[in-house]
Amino acid sequence: MNNDRRFSIEIELTVPFHDVDAMGVVWHGNYFRYFEVAREALLAQFNYGYREMKASGYVWPVVDTHVKYRGTLTFEQRIRVRATIEEYENRLRIAYQIFDIASGKRTTSGYTIQVAVGIESQEMNFVSPAVLFERLGVTL
């Protein structure tokens, strides 16, 4: 588990109408979009967003995800999404938490796991490439 504050970001969102179902509750698949928005902001902190990943010769597909729904999100609800890099040596594991801004209550938690795949070789790397460590400012 990584406790370095540099490896975390929080963003705020308002739940849009098109994300809710007929009952006014966020459809379960949309939580992954909120994770994605936070993940993009987190990676941008290190100048290693998806364009930079591709330019460095790697794509980073999501190979595993998990979400735990603890409470509902509804139309126009203000939320805070926290994304934290937990692992980076062999894969990129990012943990997420979603909070209701008004109450501070955590409504959702989850994670995604991404691995580096060389664009030219189309092979999965079992160790993260050096460019990731450089961008994160860490040495092994």
Side-chain angles (χ1 to χ4, degrees), residues 61-98:
V62 172
V63 296
D64 190 14
T65 70
H66 175 78
V67 63
K68 174 73 174 176
Y69 307 99
R70 301 172 182 277
T72 59
L73 298 178
T74 58
F75 174 53
E76 294 185 327
Q77 184 174 358
R78 296 280 303 149
I79 59 174
R80 187 175 75 249
V81 184
R82 179 183 302 150
T84 304
I85 297 173
E86 290 188 323
E87 298 177 31
Y88 53 81
E89 292 89 355
N90 301 312
R91 61 189 187 169
L92 193 55
R93 179 184 165 115
I94 301 177
Y96 307 92
Q97 294 183 68
I98 299 177

Side-chain angles (χ1 to χ4, degrees), residues 14-70:
T14 300
V15 174
F17 179 73
H18 58 80
D19 281 359
V20 300
D21 60 20
M23 295 175 282
V25 174
V26 172
W27 177 69
H28 67 277
N30 285 326
Y31 288 77
F32 291 104
R33 184 158 8 113
Y34 306 151
F35 290 177
E36 178 73 27
V37 172
R39 182 169 61 241
E40 288 175 3
L42 177 62
L43 295 172
Q45 287 188 148
F46 300 100
N47 194 31
Y48 201 55
Y50 292 118
R51 290 186 195 280
E52 292 82 15
M53 287 176 171
K54 187 175 180 182
S56 75
Y58 298 94
V59 292
W60 289 77
V62 172
V63 296
D64 190 14
T65 70
H66 175 78
V67 63
K68 174 73 174 176
Y69 307 99
R70 301 172 182 277

